Amino acid sequence: MAVRLDETDRRIIELLRADGRMSIRAVAEQAHISRANAYSRLDRLRTQGVIRGFTAVIDPEKYGTALSAYVSVSIEQHSWERFRGYLRDIPEIEHAALVSGDVDLLLLVRVVDPDALRTFVLERLQRIPEVKSTRTMFILDEPHLEGPLPGNV
């Protein structure tokens, strides 16, 4: 269920998406509100689950996982709940999404090199009993797209 957000809430979110380490003082100044109001709004946004947490954005190449790929996965019918349990224990998967269309899942995978990707797909992923098939697409470039959130243009 969507939470009702006003322009100030959206501005706070945009500021924190750009710099999650921004101080409350800086947020308040740039959102043109008092620090008390900024604290209150941030607390409400976290309590309501709009802001789920703060994280570091990693450069995969500098981190040592320069090879990135999308792996589409088809799984046995009615096995999503069981399969989802496996995903939690696979560190190479940065993001997983249950999708509509010709495949069931789309995984964003980051590994050290082609051998590691081969091992991941053939020896880890395809050995999961629920997996029917996979298809791997190498990511050639990931331009960092900055800007406002959709609907905030």
Side-chain angles (χ1 to χ4, degrees):
M1 177 155 108
V3 174
R4 187 174 299 228
L5 304 173
D6 65 17
E7 298 230 0
T8 302
D9 292 330
R10 291 182 188 284
R11 177 72 178 139
I12 290 169
I13 292 166
E14 288 174 19
L15 290 167
L16 292 172
R17 283 189 52 154
D19 180 2
R21 295 180 56 184
M22 184 178 285
S23 70
I24 286 293
R25 181 179 181 180
V27 169
E29 287 174 4
Q30 292 186 38
H32 307 293
I33 58 176
S34 69
R35 273 190 277 174
N37 192 357
Y39 273 113
S40 173
R41 284 175 179 266
L42 182 57
D43 185 53
R44 180 178 48 79
L45 291 167
R46 290 181 73 189
T47 301
Q48 292 176 331
V50 176
I51 295 176
R52 297 186 300 185
F54 298 89
T55 187
V57 178
I58 305 298
D59 180 313
E61 189 171 329
K62 291 178 182 174
Y63 185 68
T65 54
L67 181 61
S68 300
Y70 285 108
V71 180
S72 62
V73 182
S74 294
I75 59 176
E76 295 293 332
Q77 193 170 15
H78 305 297
S79 67
W80 166 240
E81 293 297 323
R82 214 171 28 258
F83 185 79
R84 182 170 50 183
Y86 296 118
L87 296 177
R88 293 185 185 113
D89 299 325
I90 304 175
E92 296 90 347
I93 298 174
E94 183 172 308
H95 179 79
L98 183 64
V99 297
S100 62
D102 295 339
V103 298
D104 300 307
L105 292 109
L106 193 58
L107 309 177
L108 172 55
V109 177
R110 301 210 191 263
V111 293
V112 174
D113 58 27
D115 288 336
L117 183 62
R118 179 191 176 286
T119 299
F120 168 77
V121 172
L122 298 179
E123 296 180 21
R124 295 189 70 196
L125 190 59
Q126 288 184 354
R127 288 190 181 179
I128 296 173
E130 290 78 10
V131 173
K132 291 181 359 185
S133 67
T134 64
R135 185 166 49 197
T136 303
M137 297 160 277
F138 290 96
I139 296 174
L140 302 176
D141 191 13
E142 293 183 271
H144 183 65
L145 303 177
E146 292 187 18
L149 292 169
N152 292 337
V153 179

Coordinates of all heavy atoms in Angstrom, one line a residue, residues 43-130:
D43 N 12.1 9.9 10.6 CA 11.6 8.8 11.5 C 10.3 8.2 11.0 O 10.1 7.0 10.9 CB 11.4 9.3 12.9 CG 11.0 8.2 13.9 OD1 11.7 7.2 14.0 OD2 10.0 8.4 14.6
R44 N 9.4 9.1 10.5 CA 8.1 8.6 10.0 C 8.3 7.8 8.7 O 7.7 6.7 8.5 CB 7.2 9.8 9.7 CG 5.8 9.3 9.1 CD 4.9 10.5 8.9 NE 5.4 11.6 8.2 CZ 5.6 11.7 6.8 NH1 5.3 10.7 6.1 NH2 6.2 12.7 6.3
L45 N 9.2 8.3 7.8 CA 9.5 7.5 6.6 C 10.1 6.2 6.8 O 9.8 5.2 6.1 CB 10.4 8.4 5.7 CG 9.8 9.6 5.1 CD1 10.9 10.5 4.5 CD2 8.7 9.3 4.1
R46 N 10.9 6.1 7.9 CA 11.5 4.8 8.2 C 10.4 3.9 8.9 O 10.3 2.7 8.6 CB 12.7 5.0 9.2 CG 13.9 5.6 8.4 CD 15.0 5.8 9.3 NE 15.6 4.5 9.6 CZ 16.6 4.2 10.4 NH1 17.1 5.2 11.2 NH2 17.1 3.0 10.6
T47 N 9.6 4.4 9.8 CA 8.6 3.6 10.5 C 7.6 3.1 9.5 O 7.1 2.0 9.6 CB 7.9 4.5 11.6 OG1 8.9 5.0 12.5 CG2 6.8 3.8 12.3
Q48 N 7.2 3.9 8.5 CA 6.2 3.5 7.5 C 6.8 2.6 6.4 O 6.1 2.1 5.6 CB 5.6 4.7 6.9 CG 4.7 5.5 7.8 CD 4.1 6.8 7.2 OE1 4.7 7.4 6.3 NE2 3.0 7.2 7.7
G49 N 8.1 2.4 6.5 CA 8.8 1.5 5.5 C 9.1 2.1 4.2 O 9.5 1.4 3.3
V50 N 8.9 3.4 4.0 CA 9.2 4.0 2.8 C 10.8 4.0 2.6 O 11.3 3.6 1.6 CB 8.8 5.5 2.7 CG1 9.2 6.2 1.5 CG2 7.2 5.6 2.8
I51 N 11.5 4.3 3.7 CA 12.9 4.2 3.7 C 13.2 2.9 4.5 O 12.9 2.8 5.7 CB 13.6 5.4 4.3 CG1 13.4 6.6 3.4 CG2 15.1 5.1 4.5 CD1 14.0 7.9 4.0
R52 N 13.7 1.9 3.8 CA 13.9 0.6 4.4 C 15.3 0.4 5.1 O 15.6 -0.5 5.8 CB 13.7 -0.5 3.4 CG 12.3 -0.6 2.9 CD 12.0 -1.8 2.1 NE 12.9 -1.7 0.9 CZ 12.9 -2.6 -0.1 NH1 12.0 -3.6 -0.1 NH2 13.7 -2.5 -1.1
G53 N 16.2 1.3 4.7 CA 17.6 1.3 5.3 C 18.5 2.1 4.5 O 18.1 2.8 3.5
F54 N 19.8 2.1 4.8 CA 20.8 2.8 4.2 C 21.9 1.8 3.8 O 22.2 0.9 4.6 CB 21.4 3.9 5.1 CG 20.3 4.9 5.4 CD1 19.5 4.8 6.5 CD2 20.1 6.0 4.6 CE1 18.5 5.7 6.9 CE2 19.1 7.0 4.9 CZ 18.3 6.8 6.0
T55 N 22.5 2.0 2.7 CA 23.5 1.0 2.2 C 24.6 1.7 1.4 O 24.4 2.9 0.9 CB 22.9 -0.1 1.4 OG1 23.9 -1.1 1.1 CG2 22.3 0.5 0.1
A56 N 25.8 1.1 1.3 CA 26.8 1.6 0.5 C 26.6 1.1 -0.9 O 26.3 0.0 -1.1 CB 28.2 1.2 1.1
V57 N 26.9 2.0 -1.9 CA 26.8 1.6 -3.3 C 28.3 1.3 -3.7 O 29.2 2.1 -3.6 CB 26.3 2.8 -4.2 CG1 26.3 2.4 -5.6 CG2 24.9 3.1 -3.7
I58 N 28.5 0.0 -4.1 CA 29.8 -0.5 -4.4 C 30.1 -0.4 -5.9 O 29.3 -0.8 -6.7 CB 29.9 -2.0 -3.9 CG1 29.5 -2.1 -2.4 CG2 31.2 -2.6 -4.2 CD1 30.4 -1.3 -1.5
D59 N 31.3 -0.1 -6.2 CA 31.8 -0.2 -7.6 C 32.3 -1.6 -7.7 O 33.3 -2.1 -7.1 CB 33.0 0.8 -7.8 CG 33.5 0.7 -9.2 OD1 33.8 -0.4 -9.7 OD2 33.8 1.7 -9.8
P60 N 31.5 -2.4 -8.5 CA 31.8 -3.9 -8.7 C 33.3 -4.2 -9.1 O 33.9 -5.1 -8.6 CB 30.8 -4.4 -9.7 CG 29.8 -3.4 -9.7 CD 30.4 -2.1 -9.4
E61 N 33.8 -3.4 -10.0 CA 35.2 -3.6 -10.5 C 36.2 -3.4 -9.4 O 37.1 -4.2 -9.2 CB 35.4 -2.7 -11.7 CG 36.7 -3.1 -12.4 CD 36.9 -2.3 -13.7 OE1 35.9 -2.0 -14.4 OE2 38.1 -2.0 -14.0
K62 N 36.1 -2.3 -8.7 CA 37.0 -2.0 -7.6 C 36.8 -3.0 -6.4 O 37.8 -3.3 -5.7 CB 36.8 -0.6 -7.1 CG 37.3 0.4 -8.2 CD 37.1 1.8 -7.7 CE 37.5 2.8 -8.8 NZ 37.2 4.2 -8.5
Y63 N 35.6 -3.6 -6.3 CA 35.4 -4.5 -5.2 C 35.9 -5.9 -5.6 O 36.1 -6.8 -4.7 CB 33.9 -4.6 -5.0 CG 33.5 -5.4 -3.8 CD1 33.8 -5.1 -2.5 CD2 32.7 -6.6 -4.0 CE1 33.4 -5.9 -1.4 CE2 32.3 -7.4 -3.0 CZ 32.7 -7.1 -1.7 OH 32.3 -7.9 -0.6
G64 N 36.2 -6.1 -6.9 CA 36.7 -7.4 -7.3 C 35.7 -8.3 -7.9 O 35.9 -9.5 -8.1
T65 N 34.5 -7.8 -8.2 CA 33.5 -8.6 -8.9 C 33.1 -7.9 -10.2 O 32.0 -7.5 -10.5 CB 32.2 -8.8 -8.0 OG1 31.8 -7.5 -7.6 CG2 32.5 -9.6 -6.8
A66 N 34.2 -7.8 -11.1 CA 34.0 -7.0 -12.3 C 33.1 -7.7 -13.4 O 32.7 -7.0 -14.3 CB 35.4 -6.8 -12.9
L67 N 32.9 -9.0 -13.3 CA 32.1 -9.6 -14.3 C 30.6 -9.6 -13.8 O 30.4 -10.2 -12.8 CB 32.6 -11.0 -14.6 CG 31.8 -11.8 -15.7 CD1 31.8 -11.0 -17.0 CD2 32.3 -13.2 -15.9
S68 N 29.8 -9.0 -14.5 CA 28.3 -9.0 -14.2 C 27.5 -9.6 -15.3 O 27.8 -9.4 -16.5 CB 27.9 -7.5 -13.9 OG 28.7 -6.9 -12.9
A69 N 26.4 -10.2 -14.9 CA 25.6 -10.9 -15.9 C 24.1 -10.9 -15.3 O 23.9 -10.9 -14.1 CB 26.0 -12.3 -16.2
Y70 N 23.2 -10.9 -16.2 CA 21.8 -11.2 -15.9 C 21.6 -12.7 -16.2 O 22.0 -13.1 -17.3 CB 20.8 -10.4 -16.6 CG 20.7 -9.0 -16.1 CD1 21.3 -7.9 -16.9 CD2 20.2 -8.7 -14.9 CE1 21.2 -6.6 -16.4 CE2 20.1 -7.4 -14.4 CZ 20.6 -6.4 -15.2 OH 20.6 -5.1 -14.7
V71 N 21.1 -13.4 -15.3 CA 20.8 -14.8 -15.6 C 19.3 -15.0 -15.4 O 18.7 -14.7 -14.4 CB 21.5 -15.8 -14.6 CG1 21.2 -17.2 -14.9 CG2 23.0 -15.6 -14.6
S72 N 18.6 -15.4 -16.5 CA 17.2 -15.7 -16.5 C 17.1 -17.2 -16.1 O 17.8 -18.0 -16.5 CB 16.5 -15.4 -17.8 OG 17.0 -16.2 -18.8
V73 N 16.0 -17.4 -15.3 CA 15.9 -18.8 -14.7 C 14.4 -19.2 -14.9 O 13.5 -18.4 -14.6 CB 16.2 -18.8 -13.2 CG1 16.1 -20.3 -12.7 CG2 17.6 -18.3 -13.0
S74 N 14.2 -20.4 -15.4 CA 12.9 -21.0 -15.4 C 12.9 -22.1 -14.4 O 13.8 -22.9 -14.3 CB 12.6 -21.6 -16.8 OG 12.5 -20.6 -17.8
I75 N 11.8 -22.1 -13.6 CA 11.7 -23.0 -12.5 C 10.5 -23.9 -12.6 O 9.6 -23.5 -13.4 CB 11.8 -22.4 -11.1 CG1 10.6 -21.4 -10.9 CG2 13.1 -21.7 -10.8 CD1 10.6 -20.7 -9.5
E76 N 10.5 -25.0 -11.9 CA 9.3 -25.9 -11.9 C 8.1 -25.1 -11.4 O 8.2 -24.3 -10.5 CB 9.5 -27.1 -11.0 CG 10.6 -28.0 -11.5 CD 10.3 -28.7 -12.8 OE1 9.1 -28.9 -13.1 OE2 11.2 -29.0 -13.6
Q77 N 6.9 -25.4 -11.9 CA 5.7 -24.7 -11.5 C 5.4 -25.0 -10.0 O 5.7 -26.1 -9.5 CB 4.5 -25.2 -12.3 CG 3.3 -24.4 -12.2 CD 2.2 -24.8 -13.2 OE1 2.3 -25.9 -13.9 NE2 1.2 -24.0 -13.4
H78 N 5.0 -24.0 -9.3 CA 4.7 -24.0 -7.9 C 5.9 -24.2 -7.0 O 5.7 -24.7 -5.9 CB 3.6 -25.1 -7.6 CG 2.4 -25.0 -8.4 ND1 1.5 -23.9 -8.3 CD2 1.9 -25.8 -9.4 CE1 0.5 -24.0 -9.2 NE2 0.7 -25.2 -9.8
S79 N 7.1 -23.9 -7.5 CA 8.3 -24.1 -6.6 C 8.9 -22.8 -6.2 O 10.0 -22.8 -5.6 CB 9.3 -24.9 -7.4 OG 9.8 -24.2 -8.5
W80 N 8.2 -21.6 -6.4 CA 8.8 -20.4 -6.0 C 9.2 -20.2 -4.6 O 10.3 -19.8 -4.2 CB 7.9 -19.2 -6.5 CG 8.3 -17.9 -5.9 CD1 7.5 -17.1 -5.0 CD2 9.5 -17.2 -6.0 NE1 8.2 -16.0 -4.7 CE2 9.4 -16.0 -5.3 CE3 10.7 -17.4 -6.7 CZ2 10.4 -15.1 -5.2 CZ3 11.7 -16.5 -6.6 CH2 11.6 -15.4 -5.9
E81 N 8.3 -20.6 -3.7 CA 8.6 -20.5 -2.3 C 9.9 -21.3 -1.9 O 10.7 -20.8 -1.1 CB 7.4 -20.9 -1.4 CG 6.2 -20.0 -1.5 CD 6.4 -18.6 -1.1 OE1 7.2 -18.5 -0.1 OE2 5.9 -17.7 -1.7
R82 N 10.0 -22.5 -2.3 CA 11.1 -23.3 -2.0 C 12.4 -22.7 -2.7 O 13.4 -22.6 -2.1 CB 10.9 -24.7 -2.6 CG 11.4 -25.8 -1.8 CD 11.0 -27.3 -2.2 NE 10.6 -27.4 -3.6 CZ 9.4 -27.5 -4.1 NH1 8.4 -27.4 -3.3 NH2 9.2 -27.7 -5.4
F83 N 12.3 -22.3 -3.9 CA 13.4 -21.8 -4.7 C 13.9 -20.5 -4.0 O 15.1 -20.2 -3.9 CB 13.1 -21.5 -6.1 CG 14.2 -21.1 -6.9 CD1 15.2 -22.0 -7.4 CD2 14.4 -19.7 -7.2 CE1 16.3 -21.6 -8.1 CE2 15.5 -19.3 -8.0 CZ 16.4 -20.2 -8.4
R84 N 13.0 -19.6 -3.6 CA 13.4 -18.4 -2.9 C 14.3 -18.6 -1.7 O 15.2 -17.8 -1.4 CB 12.1 -17.6 -2.5 CG 12.4 -16.3 -1.9 CD 11.3 -15.4 -1.7 NE 10.2 -16.0 -1.0 CZ 9.0 -15.5 -0.8 NH1 8.8 -14.3 -1.1 NH2 8.1 -16.1 -0.1
G85 N 14.1 -19.7 -1.0 CA 14.9 -20.0 0.1 C 16.4 -20.3 -0.3 O 17.3 -19.9 0.5
Y86 N 16.6 -20.8 -1.4 CA 18.0 -21.0 -1.9 C 18.7 -19.7 -2.2 O 19.9 -19.6 -2.0 CB 18.0 -21.8 -3.2 CG 17.5 -23.2 -3.1 CD1 16.4 -23.7 -3.8 CD2 18.1 -24.2 -2.3 CE1 15.9 -25.0 -3.7 CE2 17.7 -25.5 -2.2 CZ 16.6 -25.9 -2.9 OH 16.1 -27.2 -2.8
L87 N 17.9 -18.7 -2.7 CA 18.5 -17.5 -3.1 C 19.2 -16.7 -2.0 O 20.2 -16.0 -2.2 CB 17.5 -16.5 -3.7 CG 16.8 -17.1 -5.0 CD1 15.7 -16.1 -5.5 CD2 17.8 -17.3 -6.1
R88 N 18.7 -16.9 -0.8 CA 19.3 -16.1 0.4 C 20.7 -16.6 0.7 O 21.5 -15.8 1.3 CB 18.4 -16.4 1.6 CG 17.1 -15.7 1.5 CD 16.3 -15.9 2.8 NE 14.9 -15.3 2.5 CZ 13.8 -16.0 2.5 NH1 13.9 -17.3 2.7 NH2 12.7 -15.5 2.2
D89 N 21.1 -17.8 0.3 CA 22.4 -18.3 0.6 C 23.4 -18.2 -0.6 O 24.5 -18.9 -0.5 CB 22.3 -19.8 1.0 CG 21.4 -19.9 2.2 OD1 21.5 -19.1 3.1 OD2 20.7 -20.9 2.3
I90 N 23.1 -17.4 -1.6 CA 24.0 -17.3 -2.7 C 24.5 -15.9 -2.8 O 23.9 -15.0 -3.3 CB 23.3 -17.7 -4.0 CG1 22.6 -19.1 -3.9 CG2 24.2 -17.6 -5.2 CD1 21.8 -19.5 -5.1
P91 N 25.8 -15.7 -2.4 CA 26.3 -14.3 -2.3 C 26.5 -13.7 -3.7 O 26.6 -12.4 -3.8 CB 27.6 -14.5 -1.5 CG 28.0 -15.9 -1.7 CD 26.7 -16.7 -1.9
E92 N 26.7 -14.4 -4.7 CA 26.9 -13.8 -6.0 C 25.7 -13.1 -6.6 O 25.8 -12.3 -7.5 CB 27.3 -14.9 -7.1 CG 28.6 -15.6 -6.8 CD 28.5 -16.9 -5.9 OE1 27.4 -17.1 -5.3 OE2 29.4 -17.6 -5.8
I93 N 24.5 -13.4 -6.0 CA 23.3 -12.8 -6.5 C 23.1 -11.4 -5.8 O 22.9 -11.4 -4.6 CB 22.1 -13.7 -6.3 CG1 22.2 -15.0 -7.1 CG2 20.8 -12.9 -6.7 CD1 21.1 -16.0 -6.8
E94 N 23.2 -10.3 -6.6 CA 23.0 -9.0 -6.1 C 21.5 -8.6 -6.0 O 21.1 -7.9 -5.1 CB 23.8 -8.0 -6.9 CG 23.6 -6.6 -6.3 CD 24.5 -5.6 -7.0 OE1 25.7 -5.9 -7.2 OE2 24.0 -4.5 -7.4
H95 N 20.8 -9.1 -7.0 CA 19.3 -8.8 -7.0 C 18.6 -10.0 -7.7 O 19.1 -10.5 -8.6 CB 19.1 -7.5 -7.8 CG 17.7 -7.1 -7.9 ND1 17.0 -6.5 -6.9 CD2 16.8 -7.3 -8.9 CE1 15.7 -6.3 -7.3 NE2 15.6 -6.8 -8.5
A96 N 17.5 -10.3 -7.2 CA 16.6 -11.3 -7.8 C 15.2 -10.8 -7.9 O 14.7 -10.1 -7.0 CB 16.6 -12.6 -6.9
A97 N 14.6 -11.1 -9.0 CA 13.2 -10.7 -9.2 C 12.4 -11.8 -9.9 O 12.8 -12.4 -10.9 CB 13.2 -9.4 -10.1
L98 N 11.2 -12.0 -9.3 CA 10.2 -12.9 -10.0 C 9.5 -12.1 -11.0 O 9.0 -11.0 -10.7 CB 9.2 -13.4 -8.9 CG 8.2 -14.4 -9.3 CD1 8.8 -15.7 -9.8 CD2 7.2 -14.6 -8.2
V99 N 9.6 -12.5 -12.3 CA 9.1 -11.7 -13.4 C 8.0 -12.4 -14.2 O 7.9 -13.6 -14.1 CB 10.2 -11.3 -14.3 CG1 11.2 -10.4 -13.6 CG2 10.9 -12.5 -14.9
S100 N 7.3 -11.6 -15.0 CA 6.4 -12.2 -15.9 C 7.1 -12.5 -17.3 O 8.1 -11.9 -17.5 CB 5.2 -11.3 -16.1 OG 5.6 -10.1 -16.6
G101 N 6.5 -13.3 -18.1 CA 7.0 -13.5 -19.4 C 7.5 -14.9 -19.6 O 7.0 -15.8 -19.0
D102 N 8.5 -15.1 -20.5 CA 9.0 -16.4 -20.9 C 9.8 -17.1 -19.8 O 10.0 -18.3 -19.9 CB 9.8 -16.3 -22.1 CG 9.0 -15.8 -23.3 OD1 7.8 -16.0 -23.3 OD2 9.6 -15.3 -24.3
V103 N 10.3 -16.3 -18.8 CA 11.1 -16.9 -17.8 C 10.5 -16.5 -16.4 O 9.6 -15.7 -16.4 CB 12.6 -16.4 -17.8 CG1 13.3 -16.8 -19.1 CG2 12.7 -14.9 -17.6
D104 N 10.9 -17.2 -15.4 CA 10.3 -16.9 -14.1 C 11.1 -15.9 -13.2 O 10.5 -15.2 -12.5 CB 10.2 -18.3 -13.3 CG 9.4 -19.3 -14.0 OD1 8.2 -18.9 -14.4 OD2 9.9 -20.4 -14.3
L105 N 12.4 -16.0 -13.3 CA 13.2 -15.1 -12.5 C 14.3 -14.4 -13.3 O 14.8 -15.0 -14.3 CB 14.0 -15.9 -11.4 CG 13.1 -16.4 -10.3 CD1 13.0 -17.9 -10.5 CD2 13.6 -16.0 -9.0
L106 N 14.7 -13.3 -12.9 CA 15.9 -12.6 -13.4 C 16.8 -12.3 -12.3 O 16.4 -11.6 -11.3 CB 15.4 -11.3 -14.1 CG 16.5 -10.6 -15.0 CD1 16.9 -11.6 -16.1 CD2 15.9 -9.4 -15.6
L107 N 18.1 -12.8 -12.4 CA 19.0 -12.6 -11.4 C 20.2 -11.7 -11.9 O 20.7 -11.9 -13.0 CB 19.7 -13.9 -11.0 CG 18.7 -15.1 -10.7 CD1 19.5 -16.3 -10.4 CD2 17.9 -14.7 -9.5
L108 N 20.6 -10.7 -11.1 CA 21.8 -9.9 -11.3 C 22.9 -10.6 -10.6 O 22.8 -10.7 -9.3 CB 21.6 -8.5 -10.9 CG 22.8 -7.6 -11.0 CD1 23.4 -7.6 -12.4 CD2 22.5 -6.2 -10.5
V109 N 23.9 -11.1 -11.3 CA 25.0 -11.8 -10.7 C 26.3 -11.1 -10.9 O 26.5 -10.6 -12.0 CB 25.1 -13.2 -11.4 CG1 26.2 -14.0 -10.8 CG2 23.7 -14.0 -11.2
R110 N 27.1 -11.0 -9.8 CA 28.4 -10.4 -9.9 C 29.4 -11.4 -9.4 O 29.3 -11.9 -8.3 CB 28.4 -9.1 -9.1 CG 27.4 -8.1 -9.5 CD 27.8 -6.7 -9.3 NE 26.8 -5.7 -9.5 CZ 26.6 -5.0 -10.6 NH1 27.4 -5.2 -11.6 NH2 25.6 -4.2 -10.7
V111 N 30.4 -11.6 -10.3 CA 31.5 -12.6 -9.9 C 32.9 -12.0 -10.3 O 32.9 -11.0 -11.0 CB 31.3 -13.9 -10.6 CG1 30.0 -14.6 -10.0 CG2 31.1 -13.8 -12.1
V112 N 33.9 -12.7 -10.0 CA 35.3 -12.3 -10.3 C 35.7 -12.4 -11.7 O 36.3 -11.5 -12.3 CB 36.3 -13.1 -9.4 CG1 37.7 -12.8 -9.7 CG2 36.0 -12.9 -7.9
D113 N 35.3 -13.5 -12.4 CA 35.8 -13.8 -13.7 C 34.9 -14.8 -14.4 O 33.9 -15.3 -13.8 CB 37.2 -14.2 -13.7 CG 37.5 -15.5 -12.9 OD1 36.5 -16.3 -12.7 OD2 38.6 -15.6 -12.4
P114 N 35.1 -15.1 -15.7 CA 34.3 -16.1 -16.4 C 34.2 -17.4 -15.8 O 33.2 -18.1 -15.8 CB 34.9 -16.1 -17.8 CG 35.5 -14.8 -18.0 CD 36.1 -14.4 -16.6
D115 N 35.3 -17.9 -15.2 CA 35.3 -19.2 -14.5 C 34.4 -19.2 -13.3 O 33.7 -20.2 -13.1 CB 36.8 -19.6 -14.1 CG 37.7 -19.9 -15.2 OD1 37.2 -20.3 -16.3 OD2 38.9 -19.8 -15.0
A116 N 34.4 -18.1 -12.6 CA 33.5 -18.0 -11.4 C 32.0 -18.0 -11.9 O 31.1 -18.6 -11.3 CB 33.8 -16.8 -10.6
L117 N 31.7 -17.4 -13.0 CA 30.4 -17.4 -13.6 C 30.0 -18.8 -14.0 O 28.9 -19.2 -13.7 CB 30.2 -16.4 -14.7 CG 28.8 -16.2 -15.3 CD1 27.8 -15.7 -14.2 CD2 28.8 -15.3 -16.5
R118 N 30.9 -19.4 -14.7 CA 30.6 -20.8 -15.1 C 30.3 -21.7 -13.9 O 29.3 -22.4 -13.9 CB 31.8 -21.3 -15.9 CG 31.7 -22.8 -16.4 CD 33.0 -23.3 -16.9 NE 32.9 -24.7 -17.2 CZ 32.8 -25.7 -16.4 NH1 32.8 -25.5 -15.1 NH2 32.6 -27.0 -16.8
T119 N 31.1 -21.6 -12.9 CA 30.9 -22.4 -11.7 C 29.6 -22.0 -11.1 O 28.8 -22.9 -10.7 CB 32.0 -22.1 -10.7 OG1 33.3 -22.5 -11.2 CG2 31.8 -22.9 -9.4
F120 N 29.2 -20.7 -11.0 CA 28.0 -20.3 -10.4 C 26.8 -20.9 -11.2 O 25.9 -21.5 -10.6 CB 27.9 -18.8 -10.4 CG 26.5 -18.3 -10.1 CD1 26.0 -18.3 -8.8 CD2 25.6 -17.9 -11.1 CE1 24.7 -17.9 -8.5 CE2 24.3 -17.5 -10.8 CZ 23.9 -17.5 -9.5
V121 N 26.8 -20.8 -12.5 CA 25.6 -21.2 -13.3 C 25.6 -22.8 -13.3 O 24.5 -23.4 -13.0 CB 25.7 -20.7 -14.7 CG1 24.6 -21.3 -15.6 CG2 25.5 -19.1 -14.7
L122 N 26.7 -23.4 -13.7 CA 26.6 -24.9 -13.9 C 26.7 -25.7 -12.6 O 26.0 -26.8 -12.6 CB 27.8 -25.3 -14.8 CG 27.8 -24.7 -16.2 CD1 29.0 -25.2 -17.0 CD2 26.5 -25.0 -17.0
E123 N 27.4 -25.3 -11.7 CA 27.6 -26.1 -10.5 C 26.7 -25.7 -9.3 O 26.6 -26.5 -8.4 CB 29.1 -26.1 -10.1 CG 29.9 -26.8 -11.2 CD 31.4 -26.8 -10.8 OE1 31.7 -26.7 -9.6 OE2 32.2 -26.9 -11.7
R124 N 26.3 -24.5 -9.3 CA 25.4 -24.1 -8.1 C 24.0 -23.9 -8.5 O 23.1 -24.5 -8.0 CB 26.0 -22.8 -7.5 CG 27.4 -23.0 -6.9 CD 27.8 -21.9 -6.1 NE 27.1 -21.7 -4.9 CZ 27.1 -20.6 -4.2 NH1 27.8 -19.6 -4.5 NH2 26.3 -20.6 -3.1
L125 N 23.7 -23.0 -9.5 CA 22.3 -22.7 -9.9 C 21.6 -23.9 -10.6 O 20.5 -24.2 -10.2 CB 22.4 -21.5 -10.8 CG 21.0 -20.8 -11.1 CD1 20.3 -20.4 -9.8 CD2 21.2 -19.6 -12.0
Q126 N 22.3 -24.5 -11.6 CA 21.6 -25.5 -12.3 C 21.5 -26.8 -11.5 O 20.7 -27.7 -11.9 CB 22.3 -25.8 -13.7 CG 22.0 -24.6 -14.6 CD 22.6 -24.9 -16.0 OE1 23.3 -25.9 -16.2 NE2 22.4 -24.0 -16.9
R127 N 22.1 -26.9 -10.4 CA 22.0 -28.1 -9.6 C 20.8 -28.0 -8.6 O 20.5 -29.0 -7.9 CB 23.3 -28.4 -8.8 CG 24.4 -28.9 -9.8 CD 25.6 -29.4 -9.1 NE 26.5 -29.9 -10.1 CZ 27.7 -30.4 -9.8 NH1 28.0 -30.5 -8.5 NH2 28.5 -30.8 -10.7
I128 N 20.2 -26.8 -8.5 CA 19.0 -26.7 -7.6 C 17.9 -27.5 -8.3 O 17.6 -27.2 -9.5 CB 18.7 -25.2 -7.4 CG1 19.8 -24.5 -6.7 CG2 17.4 -25.1 -6.7 CD1 19.7 -23.0 -6.6
P129 N 17.3 -28.4 -7.6 CA 16.3 -29.3 -8.3 C 15.1 -28.5 -9.0 O 14.6 -29.0 -10.0 CB 15.7 -30.1 -7.1 CG 16.7 -30.0 -6.0 CD 17.5 -28.7 -6.2
E130 N 14.7 -27.4 -8.5 CA 13.6 -26.6 -9.1 C 14.0 -25.9 -10.4 O 13.1 -25.5 -11.1 CB 13.1 -25.6 -8.1 CG 12.4 -26.2 -6.9 CD 13.3 -26.7 -5.8 OE1 14.5 -26.5 -5.9 OE2 12.8 -27.4 -4.9

